[in-house]
Amino acid sequence: MAADPQYRAQVTRRRLLAASAGAAAVLGAAGLPVLQTNGPARADGKWRVDPLIPAQNRGIILYSVRDRISAAPDDSGVPYGFERVLASLAEMGYKEIEFAGYNQHTSILGRQITPTEIRKILDDNGLVANGTHTSIRADTFQQQLDIAEELGMKNIGTGSDPTNSAYQSDWDAAADLWNELGRQAKERKMRLYTHNHDVAYSFLLDSGPLDANGKPTRSSGVRRLEYFFAKTDPKYVFFECDIYWAYVARHKHTKYINSAGQEKTSLFDPILNVARRTKRFPLFHAKDGNRNTALPNGYEMIPLGEGDINFQQFFQTIGESDFHHANWEMDTAPGGAANPGQSLDFARLSYANMADLTIYNKD
């Protein structure tokens, strides 16, 4: 993947700063701010250019570089393990880390690293832990809060949905559990969050004829996670929007069968989904994709700023830039034995493109 600065600047201006007319019309009709593609024409000091994502809120989930976190010492010259990889990420400019496990190769220390040792590496590199993808269960939640507290986290979460079910009753039960666990997290000065994949925005089965097991077979048109928004207490339950998977949901989950057996179309808008409740989203996965309707998901993952998702419009419209924290993620970043440095190269390119996102403000 080329990382030439001139090439990168051309790509980010073309793909990150161009808002589609269709999206602008939808946002305007909803009473939300519409991205202006032309900057201020004058340079009289009345305008300034600010970063759209503040430097201190630019992060990475370590899943993107999991190959190098878990690597044994080798002669590739590529960093491995927490100490070397986190130092490399800090050098790139990242300020925040979202964890995807707390283990590295035992040959590095002759044993497994401890959360206390990881915290020292964070501190030594000026990094802050902004969250984690861990297992959220009632029987182990306090132990997970202990680890999160040791690492200095303000947020604790999971990469899985609160339930994999399509049925309203299961989401009701999940909401009851998450309200309680969220209350426990708040007592420890943390926020509990869940992270979406595309299926979270598929349609709830909540109406129509029942099947042989007494389960509903049709939908009122409510999406699973949107139902969960309403059933959970905003003081206790928060969300991490994976922007890539939200756009996949827009591509995949467009139709449902209503209680009368009629097929209905309902388009999902990732920007409006967040903008209506922007303070419930402290974290985001800034994951990019090339549009490719020949693929089942409609997109192919690619480093941030090199794809077709309009992050400029997304982050500018949802506002609250000081509240929101963006973690770069690319599930397919590792290059394997053929290119062991690929995930870190992509991390460097993605950070530079994230830093290029800017907004005009009046003084």
Side-chain angles (χ1 to χ4, degrees):
M1 177 60 61
D4 176 74
Q6 182 178 0
Y7 166 79
R8 179 174 56 77
Q10 291 170 349
V11 170
T12 54
R13 288 192 188 99
R14 176 169 59 87
R15 291 187 172 176
L16 295 181
L17 301 180
S20 73
V26 171
L27 297 171
L32 292 165
V34 177
L35 173 66
Q36 302 300 314
T37 58
N38 296 319
R42 55 191 181 182
D44 56 6
K46 294 185 178 180
W47 292 87
R48 68 178 187 274
V49 179
D50 293 329
L52 191 53
I53 301 171
Q56 69 273 15
N57 291 2
R58 298 174 199 154
I60 177 174
I61 181 168
L62 294 183
Y63 185 73
S64 301
V65 293
R66 61 194 181 278
D67 58 323
R68 299 316 303 171
I69 292 290
S70 63
D74 57 37
D75 58 3
S76 68
V78 181
Y80 58 85
F82 280 108
E83 183 173 14
R84 292 165 179 81
V85 172
L86 292 187
S88 179
L89 295 173
E91 181 273 331
M92 294 175 197
Y94 288 101
K95 296 296 185 185
E96 297 195 325
I97 300 295
E98 184 180 26
F99 284 85
Y102 309 116
N103 292 335
Q104 63 180 15
H105 203 282
T106 55
S107 65
I108 296 173
L109 296 175
R111 56 172 173 79
Q112 193 49 258
I113 195 169
T114 67
T116 301
E117 290 168 327
I118 297 174
R119 175 62 184 272
K120 184 177 187 304
I121 295 169
L122 291 170
D123 293 345
D124 288 347
N125 288 283
L127 295 168
V128 174
N130 69 13
T132 184
H133 281 193
T134 189
S135 176
I136 302 299
R137 295 168 26 189
D139 60 337
T140 59
F141 192 57
Q142 286 299 319
Q143 293 96 312
Q144 291 299 325
L145 287 172
D146 290 341
I147 296 172
E149 189 174 78
E150 176 67 28
L151 292 170
M153 292 178 193
K154 299 297 184 186
N155 308 285
I156 180 171
T158 178
S160 303
D161 287 332
T163 174
N164 293 321
S165 172
Y167 300 115
Q168 179 178 312
S169 59
D170 293 320
W171 284 90
D172 288 338
D176 290 342
L177 174 62
W178 276 64
N179 280 331
E180 170 55 27
L181 297 182
R183 183 192 62 76
Q184 294 178 26
K186 187 174 183 181
E187 288 179 347
R188 303 275 294 265
K189 297 182 169 43
M190 281 178 261
R191 290 178 293 225
L192 173 63
Y193 68 93
T194 183
H195 163 280
N196 67 276
H197 292 91
D198 69 278
V199 72
Y201 288 114
S202 62
F203 297 100
L204 202 66
L205 294 178
D206 59 356
S207 62
L210 303 182
D211 64 16
N213 296 315
K215 298 288 189 180
T217 59
R218 296 175 185 170
S219 179
S220 66
V222 174
R223 297 176 187 272
R224 299 183 192 186
L225 202 59
E226 291 182 332
Y227 181 77
F228 195 67
F229 291 147
K231 293 294 292 185
T232 50
D233 192 322
K235 298 191 302 294
Y236 300 141
V237 179
F238 296 85
F239 301 87
E240 176 180 65
C241 177
D242 187 303
I243 299 170
Y244 172 91
W245 288 116
Y247 277 92
V248 171
R250 179 177 176 83
H251 169 77
K252 289 176 66 174
H253 305 298
T254 61
K255 297 182 184 299
Y256 66 94
I257 304 299
N258 71 7
S259 59
Q262 300 165 325
E263 183 178 83
K264 296 292 183 179
T265 297
S266 174
L267 295 182
F268 175 69
D269 192 296
I271 297 177
L272 294 180
N273 180 64
V274 173
R276 292 184 178 119
R277 50 183 74 86
T278 190
K279 293 299 285 283
R280 294 196 78 177
F281 286 88
L283 299 174
F284 293 82
H285 274 186
K287 182 191 300 179
D288 208 348
N290 267 339
R291 191 83 169 99
N292 185 346
T293 56
L295 298 174
N297 286 334
Y299 289 87
E300 180 181 9
M301 290 181 196
I302 197 166
L304 178 64
E306 308 299 292
D308 296 322
I309 295 176
N310 194 326
F311 291 95
Q312 176 77 28
Q313 185 177 58
F314 188 97
F315 282 108
Q316 184 167 334
T317 303
I318 65 173
E320 301 289 349
S321 61
D322 289 334
F323 177 75
H324 294 140
H325 299 253
N327 293 320
W328 172 65
E329 184 183 35
M330 182 177 169
D331 302 11
T332 56
N339 188 0
Q342 177 174 282
S343 62
L344 289 174
D345 289 342
F346 284 175
R348 183 175 293 104
L349 174 60
S350 295
Y351 179 84
N353 284 342
M354 189 186 294
D356 274 351
L357 292 167
T358 56
I359 184 172
Y360 290 101
N361 286 314
K362 284 187 176 182
D363 284 326

